[in-house]
């Protein structure tokens, strides 16, 4: 009897061990959903659509982007964490949601490390300080004078409490001595719309989504919040060159899978990311958008896991110092 129970357990365990590779062998055999936790047309969404197009050709299945917005990306993050760990529902989120939420939203039903398998970084892009055309400032110094003179009559849009557009502009505001009013949105694409209409006066967003309007003269780019200038915006000084160091922020966007996704599937997805970001069409889009694909040492799931853990600690301190908290 005992022998029969033991052999049953052994059979169960060996079937469990086989389930991973067998599942991975047939993967993917249906479309993949990529949850983007911000509005369509923003920086997170733009990167997601570049890689989704590549996934469709490299994995042989369509990848569909679903925007699940709100609370600085944490609503979409929780949705993705609750999905079946089978590789068919993924999350494409940035440093903003994944690295900031453990500090800003400690009580949500997902944690960027405990609830996900890191898959791979897709692209990184610096944040640019942009102002509406109506703002009477053509450089950071003039903007600082304007901010101080106008107090809370200056409106800053951000994509939710604790998003990168929030934190980056909070740091800029602090460094420039302003007291701007903050207006929350569900993604920076909607802020750009209101900035073009002159209702929002400044925005801190990645090159990925502001490039088009900067080049078209719809908004003015005053500084790149990075240690070096962006190749896509070579005439725009860094915030340090402009005289206000200490507000640098370069964001990565990466793919995560729900915790428990078989390692073979994670490896397959990671290989598809590498193939996708090296494809000439993606390279062209990234360079036009001021985004960069990760270097060789930054491409593995392990490298993403390490970057995430380091960033949670680093940005946790900055967030606490800036006094940013979800209510
Ligand atoms: C942010 O962190 O502010 C997001 O990147 C905004 C967005 O994707 O719309």
């Amino acid at each position: 009897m005992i022998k029969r129970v033991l052999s049953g357990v052994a059979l169960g365990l060996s079937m469990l061990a086989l389930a991973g590779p067998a599942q991975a062998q047939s993967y993917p055999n249906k479309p993949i959903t990529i949850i983007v936790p911000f509005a369509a047309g923003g920086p997170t969404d733009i990167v997601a659509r570049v890689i989704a197009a590549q996934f469709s050709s490299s994995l042989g299945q369509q990848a569909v982007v679903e925007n699940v917005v709100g609370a600085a990306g944490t609503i979409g993050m929780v949705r993705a964490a609750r999905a079946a760990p089978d590789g068919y529902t993924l999350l494409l989120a940035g440093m903003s949601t994944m690295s900031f939420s453990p500090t800003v939203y400690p009580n949500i039903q997902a944690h960027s490390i405990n609830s996900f398998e890191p898959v791979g970084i897709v692209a990184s892009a610096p944040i640019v300080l942009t102002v509406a055309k109506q703002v009477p400032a053509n450089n950071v110094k003039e903007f600082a004078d304007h901010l101080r003179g106008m107090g809370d009559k200056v409106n800053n849009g951000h994509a939710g409490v604790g998003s990168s557009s929030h934190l980056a502009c909070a740091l800029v505001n602090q460094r420039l001595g302003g007291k701007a009013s903050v207006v929350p949105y569900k993604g920076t694409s909607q802020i750009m719309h209101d900035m073009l209409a002159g209702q929002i006066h400044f925005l801190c967003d990645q090159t990925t989504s502001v490039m088009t309007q900067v080049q078209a003269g719809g908004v003015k780019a005053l500084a790149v919040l990075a240690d070096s200038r962006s190749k896509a915006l070579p005439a725009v000084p860094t915030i340090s060159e402009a005289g206000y160091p200490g507000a640098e922020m370069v964001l990565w966007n990466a793919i995560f899978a729900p915790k428990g996704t078989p390692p073979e599937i994670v490896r397959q997805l990671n290989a598809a990311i590498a193939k996708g970001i090296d494809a000439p069409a993606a390279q062209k889009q990234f360079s036009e958008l001021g985004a960069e694909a990760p270097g060789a040492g930054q491409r593995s799931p392990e490298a993403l896991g390490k970057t995430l853990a380091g960033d949670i600690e680093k940005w946790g301190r900055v967030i606490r110092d800036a006094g940013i908290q979800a209510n």
Side-chain angles (χ1 to χ4, degrees):
M1 172 70 175
I2 290 179
K3 206 170 155 195
R4 210 179 307 146
V5 171
L6 283 177
S7 63
V9 169
L11 183 68
L13 285 175
S14 57
M15 281 177 71
L16 209 64
L18 281 172
Q23 202 178 346
Q25 263 164 30
S26 59
Y27 176 83
N29 57 23
K30 61 178 185 183
I32 295 168
T33 298
I34 301 180
I35 292 181
V36 168
F38 289 104
T44 320
D45 182 75
I46 289 171
V47 168
R49 286 174 200 273
V50 172
I51 199 67
Q54 294 298 328
F55 265 17
S56 300
S57 53
S58 59
L59 288 169
Q61 282 291 338
Q62 219 196 337
V64 181
V65 170
E66 188 186 347
N67 300 86
V68 181
V69 304
T74 54
I75 292 182
M77 176 189 175
V78 171
R79 168 89 74 87
R82 288 185 177 150
D86 56 8
Y88 289 101
T89 306
L90 307 173
L91 174 70
L92 189 142
M95 186 177 98
S96 166
T97 304
M98 303 309 274
S99 307
F100 301 174
S101 63
T103 310
V104 183
Y105 298 89
N107 300 321
I108 59 166
Q109 300 297 306
H111 185 277
S112 38
I113 292 182
N114 304 335
S115 313
F116 293 96
E117 307 289 351
V119 179
I121 297 180
V122 176
S124 300
I127 288 201
V128 189
L129 166 63
T130 51
V131 298
K133 263 201 323 214
Q134 295 83 347
V135 171
N138 291 315
N139 58 49
V140 183
K141 166 81 182 58
E142 288 172 6
F143 183 55
D145 293 342
H146 176 74
L147 260 186
R148 286 196 294 264
M150 299 292 283
D152 64 4
K153 290 192 188 63
V154 182
N155 295 334
N156 165 225
H158 66 66
V161 174
S163 59
S164 64
S165 44
H166 184 197
L167 182 59
C169 263
L171 296 177
V172 167
N173 219 3
Q174 259 176 16
R175 295 288 296 109
L176 271 49
K179 295 212 173 347
S181 301
V182 287
V183 187
Y185 287 76
K186 290 189 166 56
T188 54
S189 51
Q190 299 160 339
I191 305 174
M192 181 57 84
H193 186 266
D194 287 355
M195 196 154 79
L196 293 173
Q199 287 148 359
I200 292 292
H201 304 114
F202 72 110
L203 164 68
C204 293
D205 197 14
Q206 295 158 68
T207 50
T208 341
S209 61
V210 298
M211 284 300 298
T212 315
Q213 285 305 336
V214 170
Q215 281 163 344
V219 297
K220 298 183 270 190
L222 300 189
V224 175
L225 308 187
D227 293 331
S228 53
R229 293 189 180 205
S230 164
K231 282 191 206 122
L233 291 170
V236 180
T238 65
I239 189 75
S240 172
E241 287 171 335
Y244 299 89
E248 288 78 10
M249 196 181 290
V250 178
L251 261 96
W252 47 260
N253 275 300
I255 290 193
F256 293 84
K259 196 79 177 176
T261 302
E264 298 77 12
I265 290 184
V266 170
R267 292 273 158 213
Q268 220 174 317
L269 286 166
N270 178 271
I273 295 175
K275 198 166 165 204
I277 58 184
D278 286 340
Q283 294 271 318
K284 182 169 178 286
Q285 279 170 296
F286 284 166
S287 97
E288 285 167 0
L289 296 168
E292 272 182 29
Q298 278 301 307
R299 292 190 166 201
S300 64
E302 294 73 21
L304 171 57
K306 215 166 145 202
T307 298
L308 174 64
D311 279 354
I312 290 176
E313 205 180 308
K314 170 182 165 187
W315 291 104
R317 277 194 304 271
V318 180
I319 291 164
R320 281 188 289 273
D321 287 352
I324 291 180
Q325 260 183 331
N327 293 325

